[in-house]
Amino acid sequence: MKSLIKRRGPFLIFMMILAYLVSALILLLLHPDPPAGLRSLFLSPFATPMALGNWLNRAVLFMLSGTAVVYAFQGGEFNLGGEGQICLGGLATVIFLLRFPDLWGPAGIILALLLSALLAGVLGGLSGVIKNFTGLSEVITTYLLSMGIIHFSRYFITGPFKDENSYLVTTPEIPLRFQLPGLLPPSHLNISLFFVLLLVLGTYLFLYYRPAGYEWRLCGINGEFASYCGINRKRQTLKTLIVSGGINGLAGSVLILGTSHRGIQDFFSGYGWNGMAVSLIGGNHPLLVIPSALFFSHLVQGAERLNLLGQFTYALDGFIMALIFLVVTSGRLHRD
Amino acid sequence: MIESLLTLTAPLLLAALGGLYSERAGILNISLEGLMLFSAYAALHVASLTGSLAAGLLGALGASLALTLLFGLSSLVLKNDPFVSGLGINLLAYPMVKTLSKISYGTEGTLRPENLPSCGSLFFPVLALLLTGITYLFLEKTHPGRLIRLCGGSERRLREKGHSPEKVKWLALVMGSLLAGLSGASLSLPLGAFVPGISAGKGWIALVAVYLGGRKPFGILPAMLFFSLFDLWAMNLQHYGRIPTDIVLGLPYFLTLVLTILIHIVKNRDFTIKKW
């Protein structure tokens, strides 16, 4: 474990420093009052307990969607359907809990989580089935399926499940007993923190200490070699895409249960792409998802704060994320 | 009917021709969508500033070139995975357009500048058809075109002949970006407006059409006409209110998927993705 983190850790730190330097540079150039802007960007997530809680909570969600991408990349598959899978998971949770509002709280939560994971897992798995039967790359199919699902979901939120009493385009709130207990009210941080940390740790132990996890990674490192070793690659492809999609579904469900409590239009927006960035800058190592999610959450939170203050209307976090994608897999920066 | 079909086809056809250049040079260029979005915005912005269509077109070409420069720096110079670089370009186009639109027009929503020169509805369709022919001639009959095809076929043979694959790839990217820029302009200029989701999914459909058309300019043309026909039909459905808008907007993605699967089964041609 040490050697792995040693190999990928420096890259992660390098990327973080690069991202902060570039955002500082953009602020220095464009912000009317650079010192105040830098303070908001870097310190606002620590300013109040609420800001701190929201920072951690967003990081928890990024860890979930990041872990979904870790499973995909470690298994040698591209999952570009994160946004749609998170959307499907969240939507399933909302609709299920609004349709069955009389369930016992914990039962409703667990059923909603299972349902979301199942549906998003099937959506991911569909790309695996297509790949296995026709050879068509999952890169195209995960993306197209996800975009289609996102449009369909808008229909449910603006149509049959729209809350007519709200000025937002949203579904009604799920009943209070299905909302995950908060840890640092009034922030959004909630008990999902512990479960997600367990999942991250479990992912690490599974991928690096179980035979099945070894096979999983072998398919990602060298698929042909994995076939020679007798690993059924078609089955592994299917498993990889189902698990990756399922975890994204969980992310969508947790997003509803713990944070937004209702299906606001585009509630899932950005979590999928951020998850991919989180995984990539950590070299797809399951444990490095934690620091890189904290980092991304910090950046997004700081940028949102700048937007809120109205001093700086630029989508700073969007620029930084794009920058990271442009260099993150660079052969000239990676030496392993 | 035929006129609206041609108007719908033009942006897709131009984008697919742009994708064809990089595809033939062996680069899977998914940044088309970002290029289209940014150049659609740039075309409108420059045209309304100067009051000239030609300037708007140049603006679109410049915008598309600028993003492609970044794409090339990232994927060819830094050796980033071209697929991830393409994602980066697509992710970059959104905040860039948002920021520019907010600074210049004070809104991130739909733009409809007043002093926009009007654009003949047949200009872009005719241009697209002309460029289909030119692309065919360029790729099949000229020396640089042959080099691009060789680069996609076998980089080693290209190197043996004393050419640098990097340079050929740059050429293909630049040619492609010019076409993608025109495609962006053809989205916003005839409409006289810019909508934030104006390129939604079109870059991907263009890419799929490159494969459907057998990676040949005159194969792409019928593929694109077919897509546009479907689009037209979907718009009519929406118009008569028989199916909710959001469902109609989602349908092209599923149709593209189904078509791609079918063609893929028939041709059994693999999408080549290099893993880093």
Side-chain angles (χ1 to χ4, degrees):
Chain A
M1 161 178 168
K2 256 196 184 142
S3 71
L4 263 169
I5 291 191
K6 247 188 208 158
R7 244 188 316 158
R8 286 173 180 155
F11 181 69
L12 173 64
I13 293 168
F14 167 77
M15 292 300 293
M16 285 184 188
I17 293 176
L18 181 71
Y20 281 131
L21 275 181
V22 172
S23 28
L25 192 71
I26 295 179
L27 281 186
L28 283 177
L29 288 174
L30 296 173
H31 198 274
D33 179 8
L38 288 174
R39 255 200 311 281
S40 310
L41 178 66
F42 288 106
L43 298 180
S44 68
F46 312 110
T48 60
M50 178 162 162
L52 187 74
N54 284 342
W55 167 48
L56 291 175
N57 183 54
R58 196 192 301 264
V60 167
L61 291 165
F62 284 173
M63 280 176 214
L64 256 181
S65 57
T67 300
V69 181
V70 165
Y71 272 109
F73 276 132
Q74 290 265 14
E77 310 288 336
F78 268 98
N79 181 3
L80 287 193
E83 298 268 317
Q85 289 154 2
I86 293 171
C87 165
L88 182 64
L91 194 70
T93 297
V94 171
I95 292 179
F96 175 71
L97 293 178
L98 288 177
R99 272 287 153 88
F100 301 97
D102 303 323
L103 286 170
W104 179 53
I109 291 175
I110 290 171
L111 284 175
L113 284 169
L114 285 177
L115 180 70
S116 304
L118 183 76
L119 285 177
V122 168
L123 182 62
L126 191 55
S127 294
V129 171
I130 294 171
K131 184 176 183 179
N132 286 344
F133 278 99
T134 70
L136 184 59
S137 166
E138 77 285 358
V139 171
I140 300 282
T141 59
T142 50
Y143 180 85
L144 289 175
L145 280 170
S146 154
M147 289 308 292
I149 289 285
I150 286 173
H151 283 290
F152 279 22
S153 83
R154 287 199 182 122
Y155 162 72
F156 287 98
I157 291 172
T158 56
F161 288 92
K162 184 172 186 308
D163 182 3
E164 300 296 347
N165 302 318
S166 174
Y167 64 94
L168 294 170
V169 181
T170 175
T171 67
E173 243 185 46
I174 55 173
L176 197 63
R177 61 176 173 288
F178 298 133
Q179 302 180 4
L180 295 177
L183 289 180
L184 202 67
S187 81
H188 290 308
L189 188 67
N190 56 68
I191 56 165
S192 65
L193 167 73
F194 304 117
F195 296 100
V196 171
L197 286 177
L198 271 179
L199 178 77
V200 168
L201 190 68
T203 300
Y204 170 65
L205 292 176
F206 169 72
L207 284 177
Y208 287 89
Y209 289 97
R210 302 295 308 161
Y214 180 71
E215 289 181 2
W216 198 294
R217 286 187 299 124
L218 200 58
C219 287
I221 296 166
N222 189 337
E224 303 226 335
F225 182 68
S227 309
Y228 277 121
C229 297
I231 296 171
N232 184 339
R233 279 188 69 201
K234 291 196 167 180
R235 221 168 63 195
Q236 183 61 48
T237 295
L238 196 59
K239 264 198 283 187
T240 303
L241 287 167
I242 288 177
V243 169
S244 179
I247 294 175
N248 271 327
L250 283 180
S253 188
V254 168
L255 182 58
I256 295 291
L257 293 169
T259 305
S260 70
H261 304 310
R262 52 191 175 166
I264 306 172
Q265 191 170 28
D266 294 342
F267 63 91
F268 50 86
S269 177
Y271 284 99
W273 297 122
N274 274 306
M276 182 166 268
V278 161
S279 175
L280 280 173
I281 66 169
N284 304 318
H285 188 284
L287 289 183
L288 290 183
V289 159
I290 296 176
S292 72
L294 286 169
F295 153 71
F296 257 93
S297 171
H298 179 247
L299 195 70
V300 174
Q301 184 107 347
E304 261 181 17
R305 180 75 192 155
L306 282 173
N307 269 334
L308 212 65
L309 290 174
Q311 305 157 328
F312 198 75
T313 45
Y314 314 113
L316 190 64
D317 51 321
F319 282 113
I320 301 299
M321 185 155 81
L323 171 82
I324 285 174
F325 273 88
L326 287 175
V327 299
V328 73
T329 59
S330 164
R332 292 202 193 262
L333 297 174
H334 274 293
R335 289 274 165 80
D336 70 37
Chain B
M1 161 84 185
I2 292 208
E3 196 179 314
S4 47
L5 183 66
L6 287 175
T7 330
L8 273 175
T9 312
L12 286 169
L13 183 58
L14 287 165
L17 291 174
L20 180 67
Y21 280 95
S22 38
E23 170 59 31
R24 291 311 291 259
I27 312 166
L28 177 72
N29 188 356
I30 64 157
S31 70
L32 285 177
E33 183 134 348
L35 301 183
M36 284 166 84
L37 182 74
F38 192 40
S39 50
Y41 173 82
L44 199 77
H45 190 137
V46 177
S48 78
L49 272 185
T50 58
S52 142
L53 273 182
L57 279 180
L58 282 179
L61 294 180
S64 184
L65 262 178
L67 280 186
T68 295
L69 195 67
L70 265 180
F71 179 80
L73 275 179
S74 164
S75 64
L76 296 179
V77 178
L78 284 173
K79 310 272 179 220
N80 205 41
D81 183 77
F83 192 81
V84 179
S85 298
L87 276 178
I89 295 293
N90 287 341
L91 291 173
L92 183 64
Y94 282 92
M96 258 166 91
V97 166
K98 257 188 177 176
T99 304
L100 287 172
S101 148
K102 187 97 181 184
I103 295 176
S104 335
Y105 297 95
T107 171
E108 292 177 1
T110 305
L111 302 175
R112 201 178 277 281
E114 299 271 308
N115 51 334
L116 206 67
S118 71
C119 162
S121 64
L122 279 179
F123 173 68
F124 281 109
V126 171
L127 187 68
L129 285 175
L130 269 178
L131 283 168
T132 311
I134 292 174
T135 299
Y136 169 77
L137 290 175
F138 180 83
L139 282 176
E140 302 293 330
K141 308 284 178 210
T142 71
H143 185 60
R146 276 188 214 108
L147 289 183
I148 287 178
R149 284 187 292 130
L150 188 58
C151 184
S154 157
E155 274 187 38
R156 193 199 289 164
R157 275 188 54 206
L158 187 69
R159 223 178 261 121
E160 279 165 4
K161 292 196 167 193
H163 297 283
S164 140
E166 259 74 45
K167 276 188 191 151
V168 177
K169 283 183 177 172
W170 269 111
L171 174 71
L173 280 181
V174 167
M175 299 286 291
S177 87
L178 294 178
L179 284 157
L182 286 178
S183 156
S186 73
L187 282 173
S188 62
L189 286 181
L191 193 64
F194 177 84
V195 192
I198 200 163
S199 66
K202 291 201 163 60
W204 285 85
I205 292 179
L207 211 56
V208 167
V210 172
Y211 293 93
L212 293 187
R215 315 204 306 161
K216 293 208 160 54
F218 285 107
I220 293 174
L221 183 62
M224 273 314 173
L225 279 172
F226 183 78
F227 271 119
S228 308
L229 211 62
F230 180 78
D231 225 15
L232 205 62
W233 173 67
M235 278 200 302
N236 273 331
L237 280 182
Q238 200 177 334
H239 185 68
Y240 295 124
R242 268 184 231 143
I243 301 182
T245 316
D246 293 304
I247 301 282
V248 172
L249 288 175
L251 281 177
Y253 293 100
F254 291 119
L255 177 87
T256 309
L257 181 68
V258 171
L259 263 181
T260 316
I261 293 172
L262 289 179
I263 299 288
H264 194 78
I265 293 172
V266 173
K267 291 192 174 165
N268 206 13
R269 176 173 283 137
D270 210 348
F271 285 80
T272 45
I273 310 273
K274 280 183 208 143
K275 299 268 155 78
W276 65 87

